[in-house]
Every structure is written in structure tokens, then in C-alpha cells.
Amino acid sequence: MSDRPAKSYGIIATFQTAPQLYHAAEQVRDAGYRHWDCITPFPVHGLDRAMGLRRSIVPRISLAGGITGFITGMTLIWWTGAWDYPLIVGGKPYFSPMFAFPVSYELTILFTAFATIIGMFVLNGLPMHYHPVLKYEHIRRGMDDTFFIVIEARDPRFNAANTRALLEKAGGTAIAELEA
Amino acid sequence: MAHASESTVGAPAILREVKPAVLPRAILVEHGRSFSWITDKISGIIEGKTPGWWWVCFILACFVASFTVGGITYLVATGVGVWGHANPVNWAWDIVNFVFWIGIGHAGTLISAILCLLRQKWRTSINRAAEAMTIFAVVCAAIFPVFHVGRIWYAWYLFPIPNSNVIWQNFRSPLEWDVFAVSTYGTVSVLFWYVGLIPDLAVLRDRFYAAGNKLRSFLYGLFAMGWRGSNRHWSNYEMAYLILAGVSTPLVLSVHTIVSFDFAVSLLPGWHTTIFPPYFVAGAIFSGFGMVLTLMLPLRAVYGLQDLITQYHIDCMCKITLATGTIVGYAYGMEFFIAWYGANPYEGFAFINRAFGHYAWAYWIMISCNVITPQFFWFRKVRENTTLVWVLSIFVNVGMWFERFVIIVTSLARDFLPSSWGYYSPSIVEIFTFFGTFGVFSVLFLLFIRFLPIMPMAELKAVTPQADVHGGHHGDHKTGLGDPASVEQGGPQP
């Protein structure tokens, strides 16, 4: 392994407390960076706004899943009971949205849950068992009690010296370069 | 937006003078514990040596579980006739135990979903274990209807899978609704639980890696999906978690509603009542909180989790038990009132028979355990005595089992025609099968507390005072959340 990594992924800075991270994130956001991230051991309340993130689009995927589930339930019950093999049971109609409702309702919830989780994984690009950030030797603390800001080298505003200075000014310590 | 700002500007001047009372917030993590203390405490349970008591309990639980294995093996080998069902009671033990276990599961979903939507932050320390309880209770519940079909190898007929008879399921039947309700409930509970586990699995992945245990690090890492604590991920994750809580709430209410439809949609006196759905849901939550207390109090004592499951948590759980128990008591009374007010002789008889007939012993066990027991929780002295709370929670479990027994058996044993009346007693095979499910449940729960974090570390950290990014700026809103100096505790702590 050479002394200098062949290609840099970006720069990582350490912050000891949630408020420090929060204010640093505001500064990085205001500096106009787009390809950057915070690493936190728990969801920090309000950090989305400090990072300038837009509202997650997971709910749209969930809604699509829910609608699919409801239509699946109704169609299944109509097709099996009134179309494929109509059978009189207890003198009741072949199909009615009333008796089809409980099952369709459950399928709405089932499909919503799957859509939500699959949507969350796809949007997050998970599973991804390898990531340059995970190679950082102290990243374990990011799951425990320490906070990090990572600014990626592919960001148009990225400049090794200036970015490092920004993170230093924002209160970051142990600033290090990440290998790609 | 314009309207909103106008109305604020145009508000009477007095409104600007009004200072809302600042209510002290309960401290959810005591002694100002740091983030790393939480990580070490919860992970330490998994990383430490397997305690001796765990092995004792595990072997005992396996022994008890063998009764279920034996009971159902004998049933499958011989036929469903080995159960004590006979005309007119063709449906008793299996459905009693099914409803009993499903009901227990409901408190887990209530804690994880409904209390999440209601922003009851005290749920954080108990929700992981309560959700685990839900999943294991659904497993125990599913055993009964599945084996009651008799020919277990045809159980897949319950699902709309094309079969050689070319006939489809009868979707007009509440029993078919139940198939969908319970399988959805089980699936969504597992998904919700798993999503909650992901960040904590990442913690364990990294800790086992640092400790040099590559195999366990690999296994936890595989299920952690490469979680790296990215805030861009947390943003989607939190939204997904909220939506799962949002859909689990109507789910848990619908599951026990549909379970109650199994009875309410029939025409049998004592079953055919519109009060069943809300009454069953309240009863389910009541029994579930009984079970949560039964499980969490020993866990708290054994692992020394008093800083995380505080007296405030126990108070909250006791009060919910009291509230739902009282709702159940009200439902018992209202059933009698409607039976009289409805002026239907069969309905009236069904209720008089419940209280004073052949099964009166079961009815009075139910009343004393479900209506009288929770009333002790009115008293602070009782709630602060954990041993007493634990004993009372056992009574709640017993009472709720008898509730299902009373509802199901008395109505079937004494229906319209006296010539077809009977008396049901369980056979030894049924008793063994049910007894064994406590072992099945315990085996699963013991494996859970040994191998998975019993509390959501990330969520616990988020409710500590030092997680609040505005802690130092407007401390006047934070009365009771600890002194502002505690904000500085976020860093590494000894």
C-alpha cells in the first residue's frame, strides 16, 4: 500500500457533540456543498434541515404500494369468487365490496409495508456492505457516540485545502482523507 | 401560508402575553448516562459470557416446549379426534389459545406503533422487547388454527393458491379474513422489528469486528445491510419507520377486530354482539401489557436496567393496564345490560348461564383477575412495588385466558336447544399442547435476549438530553430535561 491513496473519496471530520455537528452542518450547507453527508449514531432531530435535505420521498412509494395492495385484494376476490368459479355460498352475492373489504384492507397494509421498506432500501442504496466511509478506522465511534461530516471529492466545490479549512472553522477535529 | 401569517399578526395582543405553562418532562434515561454508556450497556448483554441462569432457563424452556412438539406430533399421527372437541363444542381449546396468544402480541404493536405516533417517548426502552414478544406470540398463536385443520399438509388451502379442486377460498367467511389478518400481522411485525434493528446490528457488527470475532461480525453485518449511520439514510429511514408505525396502527386494531368477527358475525347468543371489536381490542392490549410487565420486570432486575426502564416506565405500563382493564370491565357490564335490554331470551340466558351456570367458576376467575386485579394500580405504593406489579401481571394473563375460554365455551356448550347441550373439558393432549407453547415462547425470547439488542440503542440515544441540538440555546423550554451542562456530555465518557 502506498503512502498516499491513489484516489481520494473525500474528507472526514469528527465532532464530539450533536449541537457541534448541527451547526457545522449548517455551515457546510451554506457553503454550497451538495455531495456530503453526516454520520450520526442516532437520527439527530432537525439535522435534515441543517443539511438542507428535502423531505424523503418514501411516502410516495408507500402510497403506490398501498393502492396496489387494495386493488390486488378486490381483484383477487372478484376474480376468484365471481369470475373464475362462481359458487353460491349461504345465498350471498358472488362479489360485494363489503365482504371483500377486510382482506383488501389487510393487503393494503401488507403491500404498503413492503413498498416502504423496499423503497427505503433502494433510496438509501442499501444493502451496500462496502463503502469508503466504512474503511475509516474510527468509523465505529460513529455508531456509538461520535459524529462525523464527510465531504466527497466529487463535489464541484471540493478543494482539499479549502474544504479542510471550512471543516476546521466549523469545529471539526481529526480531519482525515478517505480512500476511495 | 399568507392566511396563516395574517392571522398571527392579527391575533389579539393578549395572546402574545400568554406564556404556556412549562410542564416538566419525565427523565427517560436516568443518571445522565452518556451515549457510549448506552451502547456498552446494551451490547454488553450480548458480548458477555452466557450467564448460568440463561442456560437453566433455556433448558427448562426447551423441556416445556417439548410438550407442544409431543402434543402436535401425536395429533398429526393420530387425528384431530385426540383433542376434546365433541358436539356441540367443536371449537374450543385451539381458538381460545389462538386468541389468547394473538392478544398478547397486540401490546407489542401498541407500544411500537401507536405510542410512536402519539410521541410517547417512554416507549423507546421497551419497544424492542415488546415487538419481539409480538412476533413470538404470533408464532405460538399460529400453531393452534394450523393444527386444528387436522390434515396439516393441506393447510395451504387457506391461501388462494390454485389447487386440484379448482375451487377458491370463501372470502365471505371471517375465518378467511383471519388468515389474511394474522399472516399480514405476522409479516408486518417482523418487518417493523427488523427495520428497527438495522442500526443496532451495525453497532454490533463494528464491535465484534473490533473484538476480533469475525464470524459474528459477518453475521450481524450481513443483516445490518451495510448501515453506516448516514444522515441521508436516517432521513429515509425515519420516514419509513413512521409510515410503518402509521400502517401498523390500523393493522393492530383491524387484526383483533377481525378475530372478534370470527364470533360476532355468527348467530350464536353471547357471540353475536356489536361490542366485540372494541372490547376485543381493549382486552388484547390489556393482556399484552400484562405480558410485557411479566417479561420486562425480571429482565430489568437481572440485567440492571433500572436507568433505562425507570419507575416512570412502570407507572405508564401499569396505568395503561388499569385503563384497558377497566374498559374490559365496562364491556362485561355492558354485555349484560344489552342482553337484558335486547329482550332476547336466548341472549339473556347465555349471560345468566355464564355467570351462574356450569362454567361459573371460569367466569368468576375471569372477573376477579381482569376487573379487580388492575384496580390495585390506582395506588402509587402498588406501582412502586415491582414484585407486586409482577404478581398482578400474572393474574392479568390468567384472567385474559379465562375470558376467551368463557366467551367461547359457554356459548357453544349451551346454545338454542337444550337437547344438544354439552360440557367441554380439554383432553390431556390439548393441555400439553397449550402448556408447551409457553416453552416455545420462552425459547424464542431467551434466544432474542442472548443474541439481539434488547433495547433500541439509537432510539434511546435520541431521547437523552445531550441529543438535543438546541439544548444550550433555549434551555427554558427544557425544564426537567437535566441541566444545560449535560449537553456537553455527548463526547467520550469513561
Side-chain angles (χ1 to χ4, degrees):
Chain A
M1 222 174 135
S2 63
D3 289 332
R4 248 189 96 72
K7 197 161 173 274
S8 168
Y9 173 77
I11 287 182
I12 191 163
T14 307
F15 297 86
Q16 295 300 338
T17 70
Q20 282 175 9
L21 174 86
Y22 181 85
H23 297 299
E26 285 177 324
Q27 292 175 39
V28 177
R29 174 198 65 192
D30 294 341
Y33 286 95
R34 293 218 313 277
H35 297 286
W36 65 289
D37 209 343
C38 296
I39 304 290
T40 62
F42 56 87
V44 177
H45 186 69
L47 189 59
D48 288 358
R49 202 185 305 161
M51 279 181 73
L53 293 186
R54 272 184 295 183
R55 193 181 145 87
S56 167
I57 61 158
V58 168
R60 297 180 206 177
I61 302 167
S62 309
L63 180 67
I67 292 170
T68 313
F70 189 78
I71 293 171
T72 305
M74 285 288 173
T75 314
L76 170 77
I77 293 167
W78 169 81
W79 187 81
T80 55
W83 183 261
D84 188 54
Y85 199 134
L87 195 63
I88 296 175
V89 181
K92 290 170 189 152
Y94 292 130
F95 178 77
S96 155
M98 294 298 125
F99 71 67
F101 189 80
V103 167
S104 309
Y105 181 91
E106 299 302 332
L107 289 180
T108 308
I109 290 172
L110 184 67
F111 280 49
T112 307
F114 273 108
T116 305
I117 290 173
I118 293 169
M120 187 264 281
F121 278 134
V122 170
L123 290 176
N124 286 350
L126 296 178
M128 183 190 272
H129 289 95
Y130 172 83
H131 191 274
V133 167
L134 291 177
K135 265 176 111 176
Y136 181 53
E137 55 184 328
H138 301 300
I139 198 67
R140 185 168 88 81
R141 299 292 299 278
M143 312 286 148
D144 183 359
D145 63 351
T146 309
F147 305 84
F148 299 99
I149 286 182
V150 182
I151 299 181
E152 293 178 37
R154 68 187 166 113
D155 193 285
R157 288 178 182 271
F158 185 86
N159 169 309
N162 292 352
T163 306
R164 185 180 283 264
L166 171 75
L167 287 171
E168 260 167 20
K169 188 166 82 63
T173 53
I175 296 171
E177 203 165 331
L178 285 177
E179 247 180 273
Chain B
M1 284 306 286
H3 289 287
S5 53
E6 266 170 36
S7 63
T8 319
V9 172
I14 186 75
L15 277 187
R16 263 170 273 143
E17 304 291 315
V18 173
K19 295 241 172 8
V22 180
L23 296 173
R25 287 200 191 176
I27 296 170
L28 297 168
V29 179
E30 282 186 351
H31 297 121
R33 299 298 191 179
S34 68
F35 295 140
S36 57
W37 184 87
I38 294 173
T39 318
D40 290 340
K41 184 81 189 167
I42 311 288
S43 307
I45 293 172
I46 301 162
E47 291 163 348
K49 206 168 157 289
T50 310
W53 64 262
W54 189 91
W55 280 113
V56 172
C57 292
F58 187 72
I59 290 165
L60 190 68
C62 286
F63 173 70
V64 175
S66 69
F67 280 74
T68 291
V69 177
I72 56 183
T73 307
Y74 185 60
L75 173 97
V76 171
T78 318
V80 84
V82 299
W83 283 1
H85 298 156
N87 276 333
V89 185
N90 287 306
W91 206 41
W93 200 256
D94 53 333
I95 192 80
V96 168
N97 297 326
F98 164 74
V99 181
F100 171 75
W101 277 115
I102 278 283
I104 283 176
H106 281 30
T109 319
L110 180 101
I111 290 168
S112 57
I114 300 181
L115 297 185
C116 174
L117 294 186
L118 296 176
R119 296 178 189 275
Q120 296 294 307
K121 291 192 172 164
W122 59 272
R123 69 183 263 290
T124 47
S125 64
I126 52 170
N127 78 343
R128 172 72 47 73
E131 282 173 43
M133 181 192 80
T134 297
I135 294 163
F136 307 148
V138 172
V139 168
C140 291
I143 290 171
F144 292 96
V146 165
F147 282 91
H148 190 218
V149 301
R151 297 175 196 173
I152 178 74
W153 49 97
Y154 285 130
W156 60 276
Y157 273 26
L158 293 165
F159 293 96
I161 300 165
N163 59 56
S164 55
N165 297 330
V166 214
I167 299 179
W168 294 104
Q169 286 66 32
N170 176 18
F171 285 103
R172 301 159 191 86
S173 164
L175 295 178
E176 184 62 20
W177 305 346
D178 225 3
V179 171
F180 279 82
V182 173
S183 41
T184 300
Y185 185 51
T187 313
V188 174
S189 299
V190 170
L191 292 177
F192 196 22
W193 191 55
Y194 175 60
V195 167
L197 273 167
I198 290 171
D200 289 356
L201 293 176
V203 174
L204 291 168
R205 168 197 69 196
D206 292 351
R207 285 176 72 98
F208 276 113
Y209 189 80
N213 191 333
K214 295 280 153 57
L215 176 68
R216 290 189 75 173
S217 174
F218 172 78
L219 290 173
Y220 285 115
L222 193 65
F223 289 100
M225 295 271 180
W227 184 263
R228 57 179 187 270
S230 152
N231 193 57
R232 290 176 192 273
H233 290 180
W234 279 119
S235 174
N236 290 323
Y237 174 92
E238 287 239 278
M239 187 58 87
Y241 198 81
L242 185 67
I243 291 169
L244 286 174
V247 297
S248 297
T249 300
L251 175 65
V252 67
L253 300 178
S254 77
V255 169
H256 230 61
T257 300
I258 291 175
V259 167
S260 81
F261 283 167
D262 290 350
F263 309 102
V265 172
S266 77
L267 296 173
L268 209 61
W271 287 6
H272 185 61
T273 54
T274 50
I275 200 176
F276 262 31
Y279 156 33
F280 267 52
V281 171
I285 291 164
F286 175 59
S287 69
F289 268 90
M291 192 55 118
V292 171
L293 286 167
T294 309
L295 294 172
M296 294 311 286
L297 294 179
L299 217 54
R300 172 183 191 253
V302 166
Y303 285 126
L305 300 169
Q306 282 84 351
D307 285 347
L308 299 172
I309 304 173
T310 64
Q311 182 57 40
Y312 175 70
H313 290 94
I314 297 173
D315 274 353
C316 288
M317 289 190 271
C318 288
K319 286 173 188 170
I320 292 184
T321 312
L322 170 62
T324 47
T326 310
I327 294 173
V328 168
Y330 168 80
Y332 295 157
M334 191 47 70
E335 277 188 320
F336 266 83
F337 171 75
I338 293 293
W340 166 76
Y341 189 67
N344 178 320
Y346 298 105
E347 189 78 10
F349 170 76
F351 283 94
I352 298 293
N353 181 55
R354 262 185 204 176
F356 305 107
H358 285 90
Y359 288 106
W361 57 275
Y363 183 83
W364 294 106
I365 292 176
M366 167 188 102
I367 291 286
S368 26
C369 291
N370 290 355
V371 185
I372 300 168
T373 305
Q375 302 309 320
F376 287 103
F377 291 142
W378 283 106
F379 305 103
R380 181 188 293 270
K381 281 269 182 298
V382 174
R383 296 196 303 265
E384 284 175 355
N385 183 339
T386 37
T387 317
L388 188 56
V389 170
W390 190 77
V391 171
L392 292 174
S393 77
I394 299 283
F395 277 104
V396 170
N397 291 323
V398 172
M400 282 309 291
W401 186 86
F402 273 97
E403 180 197 290
R404 280 63 178 251
F405 183 83
V406 164
I407 292 173
I408 291 159
V409 176
T410 59
S411 283
L412 283 172
R414 293 282 184 277
D415 62 357
F416 302 95
L417 282 176
S419 59
S420 64
W421 287 359
Y423 188 87
Y424 165 81
S425 318
S427 75
I428 193 74
V429 181
E430 287 177 296
I431 294 171
F432 275 14
T433 308
F434 175 58
F435 173 66
T437 52
F438 288 98
V440 174
F441 181 85
S442 309
V443 166
L444 293 169
F445 201 80
L446 285 164
L447 289 173
F448 158 70
I449 59 176
R450 190 71 206 102
F451 293 107
L452 290 172
I454 58 168
M455 292 183 183
M457 294 182 248
E459 282 186 54
L460 276 172
K461 289 171 191 169
V463 299
T464 54
Q466 66 267 31
D468 183 16
V469 292
H470 299 299
H473 290 279
H474 38 94
D476 54 329
H477 287 301
K478 301 295 169 218
T479 316
L481 267 174
D483 56 314
S486 65
V487 172
E488 302 307 322
Q489 289 182 357
Q493 290 275 314

